[in-house]
Amino acid sequence: MSKSQFSLSVIASAVLFVCHSGSTYAAASVTAAMDESNNSVILTQPQTASLHYRDSDIPLALSGMTVLPTNQTTTVTHRGAINGVAVTQDRVSFSPSPYAAPHLVLQPNLVLQESIAALSLTDVTKGGMGAFGHVNYTTAQISPNEMGGRANIEINDNGDGHVGAIASGLNKEYGMLLGVDYQNTAEEVGFASQFDNEKTQTDIMFKINADSLVGARNPQKTEFMYQYTDSESGYSNVGLVAQDWNSKPASRYSATQNDQQEGKRHKYQVSHVVDLTGGTQMVSDFYYQSYDEKISQLNRLEGVAIGVAELQAIAAMDANPSATANLASMLEDNHYAGYGLQTEGVSQYGAHQVTYGALYHSDKAEMKFGQQDWLWNIDRSLSSVSVDKALMAYVDDVNVFTTTADAKLNYGALSFNLGVAFESVSTTREVGVEAYGVEEADFSDDGWIPSLEIAYTTGNWKAAFAAKQSWTAASAGNAEMKAQESMHYQLGFTYQTQVLNLGVNLYMQDFDNQHVTCMWSMACDFSQRYMQVNIEDVTANGVDLSADYQFSFDSFAIPLSVQYQYSQAEFGESGVNELIGLYVEGEQLPWVPEQQIALSTGVVVGDFSFMTQALYQSELGYATAISGGEKIDGQWKVDIAANYHLSNVHEIYLRVENVLDENLVSQQSSLGITSQGEMLSYVGYQARF
């Protein structure tokens, strides 16, 4: 086989993988099976692997999730919901405290992942944590060979770079994997003075697994995984006024030069899979994980929380310093931890399938807030004046028990799916240092999550109507202790062949109550960090379209993947709360773009490939005066990569992020305009062994 034929067959295999990938066992419903076809991104396939991403919002958008613009950790929403959207890795929540800290946003390093898959309408087995949406990362798998892996190094046009490697192998007794990745980038961000925004991150992942002993009655596999992440960033929530943004975007005022975020994460997971007699398979996970973060963010000028007027004053002083000023930063020193045991079984009864499971989960969030006072000098430097590390402190504890059952009844081309979950949640908040109105809490709540699906499958076509009553318990910061609830309806169609996959979902989600916590583009002060507010009437209606196709020719191939979302997610009532401010009936939710398009395409010619991935979002943001009264206009983010395979082992590449060199906005509020980052080019090399 020629090298040209080899390259084309790899692309074709990748398309087949997208169209026909599956779990260890069959999907619990036809809707879930359709999502496997429509909403899976295989990060190791050439179409995405060519870009060698460490982090990016585009693969998440290609999986069907709505992503919010950022140059930090990507926040996802789904059909209007912020809370109750689960981000998991190998079936376990990636956040250690999804119940106690719904505001915490974490995403894994893509280098150590194999795939991303999202569910458009989650089945009941996800419980309340993922009742309103679910995206799952699958980590890199242990090589079936005695030794296999890859090593990668890349350098950008600022002289910074990334380096990483994964090595794994399998012998007669066990398999092992070790992955390490290090990132170090720095960019000059000073508006009128020189200082850098430096980002560093170290990731380590270790796996070891073993099959059952020879002659064991039931085949089984046990795997242990450990993950470690250490990250530091000079990121600031405070941006620029519009005039300064237009003249020098992607820069910051010297008042923010000491803003920073640090995080350390540990995860331990033991997974066990056993095939029992009668076609039953059980998958169990025991896990413990923790995350420690330290944050320092500028939030006051002369004792006043930064708003539009204060930001204008900071801009004027940074441009022409004539006197000293008093600044203050909000400090956070938080500890999150969680552990649990979950098990899920699938049994076949003739043509029918039953899925059942249980989860016990406990997590906590130890939150400590302080304040650092600074003197902003005439030379634009900052001098420490005082530090109070115990301004406010509280601990949220949550214990969860979930049971689920789901039956798929198959009658030829017609199938019915009936599911129900019951979840009981116990929540407490203990206040250590009382301030800003924080109050203790102690309550329990439980809810039922029923679902129904009617589906028809014939030839290459699948069609399914699904309905679900979704439920997620309130967090300790919810003064009314009201659960988030909705009725969710979806009508989906999928057409699938060897090289083509088309999917259409029409949906309606009617919220009786929706939760909102401090999130993207909100200027949250101390009193707003601990609360969860309710919006009693929200509707989200829309359509999702997906397409994957392989254009194959004699000497080249053109892969194409498109995800399009149209959403009308609107407030059903007018009101005011402490996080959003004033909201008006019929107004689009600030965190939901009306349209989102994610595109991946390119051309493969022999050993050379050229790939493009792009993301478009229509207008986003808060229209109310409390958040600055400005919105983010529609914007395109486009990345490209050119790759050349010197052999089956060696590859060189060029990647350009934001190739259109657009001034991409990540947030726009009373704290100003912040950037997603300017155009940046990387030259890289990867070896496979």
Side-chain angles (χ1 to χ4, degrees):
M1 180 183 292
S2 70
K3 291 183 180 178
S4 174
Q5 291 172 318
F6 174 79
S7 299
L8 294 181
S9 66
V10 169
I11 291 287
S13 299
V15 172
L16 288 175
F17 195 99
V18 170
C19 292
H20 302 287
S21 63
S23 306
T24 310
Y25 42 78
S29 65
V30 173
T31 298
M34 292 162 64
D35 285 336
E36 287 180 0
S37 301
N38 303 332
N39 300 334
S40 295
V41 177
I42 312 305
L43 298 172
T44 53
Q45 72 177 24
Q47 195 168 333
T48 300
S50 298
L51 286 103
H52 297 278
Y53 283 131
R54 260 71 179 178
D55 56 79
S56 176
D57 48 8
I58 298 179
L60 273 169
L62 285 167
S63 76
M65 300 302 290
T66 302
V67 299
L68 297 178
T70 184
N71 65 353
Q72 286 293 98
T73 304
T74 302
T75 299
V76 297
T77 69
H78 188 60
R79 296 180 176 176
I82 308 164
N83 294 168
V85 179
V87 177
T88 62
Q89 181 191 58
D90 292 347
R91 301 173 301 278
V92 172
S93 170
F94 194 71
S95 166
S97 306
Y99 288 88
H103 65 274
L104 182 63
V105 179
L106 298 173
Q107 300 283 354
N109 184 340
L110 295 182
V111 165
L112 302 179
Q113 316 307 309
E114 187 171 271
S115 66
I116 307 173
L119 293 176
S120 59
L121 191 151
T122 59
D123 52 59
V124 298
T125 60
K126 305 302 178 291
M129 181 180 67
F132 293 84
H134 179 225
V135 56
N136 182 67
Y137 293 85
T138 301
T139 56
Q141 301 299 294
I142 295 173
S143 171
N145 303 317
E146 186 173 338
M147 176 59 71
R150 62 181 184 269
N152 171 272
I153 184 171
E154 59 182 29
I155 300 173
N156 64 31
D157 45 16
N158 291 330
D160 307 310
H162 311 141
V163 59
I166 296 178
S168 66
L170 186 68
N171 63 23
K172 294 181 180 180
E173 298 178 352
Y174 59 87
M176 292 181 64
L177 178 147
L178 178 63
V180 180
D181 191 67
Y182 176 72
Q183 306 173 54
N184 187 353
T185 60
E187 54 183 339
E188 169 61 44
V189 295
F191 181 77
S193 60
Q194 292 187 350
F195 65 95
D196 290 341
N197 176 12
E198 185 173 0
K199 303 177 184 179
T200 62
Q201 181 169 317
T202 301
D203 289 279
I204 299 172
M205 182 173 72
F206 171 75
K207 288 184 176 185
I208 183 169
N209 67 18
D211 291 330
S212 54
L213 297 175
V214 176
R217 183 175 181 180
N218 299 113
Q220 54 193 292
K221 175 176 286 189
T222 303
E223 179 174 281
F224 168 77
M225 177 174 65
Y226 169 72
Q227 290 183 329
Y228 170 77
T229 299
D230 185 356
S231 61
E232 295 184 19
S233 170
Y235 172 77
S236 177
N237 287 323
V238 178
L240 303 176
V241 299
Q243 181 179 351
D244 292 341
W245 169 266
N246 291 330
S247 65
K248 195 177 179 180
S251 62
R252 284 163 37 194
Y253 302 125
S254 59
T256 69
Q257 61 189 279
N258 287 344
D259 286 7
Q260 61 180 354
Q261 299 183 4
E262 301 176 14
K264 284 186 173 65
R265 178 177 177 271
H266 299 268
K267 180 184 180 183
Y268 306 84
Q269 180 175 338
V270 177
S271 300
H272 183 252
V273 181
V274 58
D275 293 321
L276 302 175
T277 56
T280 296
Q281 184 179 79
M282 299 292 296
V283 180
S284 301
D285 302 290
F286 174 74
Y287 56 89
Y288 171 81
Q289 54 183 326
S290 65
Y291 180 70
D292 294 278
E293 68 174 357
K294 293 184 178 181
I295 301 174
S296 175
Q297 291 290 308
L298 178 70
N299 78 324
R300 292 180 183 272
L301 171 67
E302 302 296 347
V304 180
I306 294 175
V308 176
E310 290 71 30
L311 187 65
Q312 288 284 355
I314 289 173
M317 286 187 281
D318 194 64
N320 298 293
S322 58
T324 60
N326 297 304
L327 304 173
S329 298
M330 181 167 65
L331 306 179
E332 295 187 49
D333 187 356
N334 306 324
H335 172 72
Y336 308 93
Y339 65 91
L341 172 65
Q342 63 183 20
T343 185
E344 184 173 303
V346 177
S347 298
Q348 291 292 145
Y349 298 94
H352 311 306
Q353 177 180 295
V354 177
T355 304
Y356 43 90
L359 163 72
Y360 173 75
H361 173 88
S362 178
D363 67 43
K364 67 177 179 179
E366 299 178 0
M367 312 293 290
K368 297 179 182 179
F369 294 84
Q371 182 168 300
Q372 167 84 65
D373 294 323
W374 306 96
L375 184 65
W376 192 13
N377 300 306
I378 295 178
D379 63 358
R380 299 188 180 90
S381 64
L382 298 182
S383 301
S384 177
V385 175
S386 63
V387 181
D388 183 353
K389 294 186 177 181
L391 199 61
M392 181 175 68
Y394 60 88
V395 179
D396 290 350
D397 266 299
V398 182
N399 292 291
V400 181
F401 179 69
T402 308
T403 57
T404 66
D406 192 281
K408 182 183 179 185
L409 310 176
N410 297 301
Y411 300 97
L414 188 65
S415 67
F416 300 89
N417 190 283
L418 303 172
V420 65
F422 174 78
E423 183 161 289
S424 178
V425 181
S426 176
T427 303
T428 63
R429 167 172 289 174
E430 296 182 358
V431 178
V433 181
E434 186 175 351
Y436 298 98
V438 62
E439 296 180 352
E440 294 193 345
D442 187 353
F443 63 91
S444 298
D445 196 6
D446 50 59
W448 292 91
I449 307 173
S451 69
L452 166 70
E453 177 198 77
I454 303 173
Y456 187 80
T457 302
T458 178
N460 298 326
W461 288 92
K462 290 186 177 74
F465 170 78
K468 178 185 176 184
Q469 180 177 313
S470 301
W471 180 92
T472 295
S475 71
N478 194 309
E480 300 175 82
M481 298 178 288
K482 293 181 61 175
Q484 176 172 281
E485 296 183 86
S486 79
M487 281 302 302
H488 195 170
Y489 306 94
Q490 176 177 291
L491 178 62
F493 303 91
T494 293
Y495 177 77
Q496 187 180 91
T497 68
Q498 293 290 323
V499 295
L500 172 66
N501 190 86
L502 296 174
V504 180
N505 287 326
L506 305 170
Y507 67 87
M508 179 181 72
Q509 183 159 214
D510 185 10
F511 289 85
D512 289 332
N513 187 54
Q514 184 179 38
H515 291 160
V516 179
T517 52
C518 182
M519 59 169 293
W520 168 85
S521 210
M522 288 182 179
C524 296
D525 204 354
F526 293 96
S527 62
Q528 296 160 319
R529 291 287 284 115
Y530 63 75
M531 67 176 55
Q532 182 183 71
V533 299
N534 301 302
I535 305 173
E536 293 188 354
D537 189 4
V538 172
T539 58
N541 307 311
V543 58
D544 298 335
L545 304 175
S546 65
D548 292 281
Y549 187 67
Q550 167 76 13
F551 296 92
S552 296
F553 303 94
D554 291 339
S555 59
F556 67 96
I558 301 175
L560 173 67
S561 294
V562 180
Q563 282 274 359
Y564 172 74
Q565 299 176 14
Y566 175 78
S567 178
Q568 287 187 333
E570 300 175 343
F571 295 106
E573 62 179 7
S574 298
V576 61
N577 64 48
E578 294 187 61
L579 291 179
I580 302 174
L582 176 68
Y583 53 92
V584 180
E585 181 181 355
E587 185 178 70
Q588 183 85 355
L589 298 182
W591 50 87
V592 181
E594 190 173 79
Q595 298 185 75
Q596 177 178 289
I597 303 172
L599 171 70
S600 179
T601 189
V603 60
V604 179
V605 183
D607 299 315
F608 174 80
S609 65
F610 179 85
M611 294 294 169
T612 299
Q613 291 200 343
L615 173 64
Y616 169 78
Q617 289 184 323
S618 58
E619 187 181 69
L620 266 169
Y622 303 81
T624 58
I626 195 172
S627 298
E630 297 291 341
K631 289 192 174 185
I632 301 173
D633 292 334
Q635 50 189 4
W636 278 96
K637 178 181 179 182
V638 181
D639 298 341
I640 62 171
N643 302 66
Y644 184 70
H645 291 266
L646 302 172
S647 67
N648 292 336
V649 175
H650 305 289
E651 173 194 355
I652 56 175
Y653 63 89
L654 169 68
R655 180 177 76 253
V656 183
E657 299 175 356
N658 186 19
V659 68
L660 301 180
D661 200 18
E662 294 286 332
N663 296 328
L664 299 175
V665 177
S666 64
Q667 298 185 39
Q668 185 159 331
S669 69
S670 59
L671 294 179
I673 308 172
T674 58
S675 172
Q676 293 188 48
E678 297 181 304
M679 183 173 69
L680 196 61
S681 301
Y682 285 87
V683 175
Y685 164 78
Q686 180 160 286
R688 294 185 176 273
F689 52 90

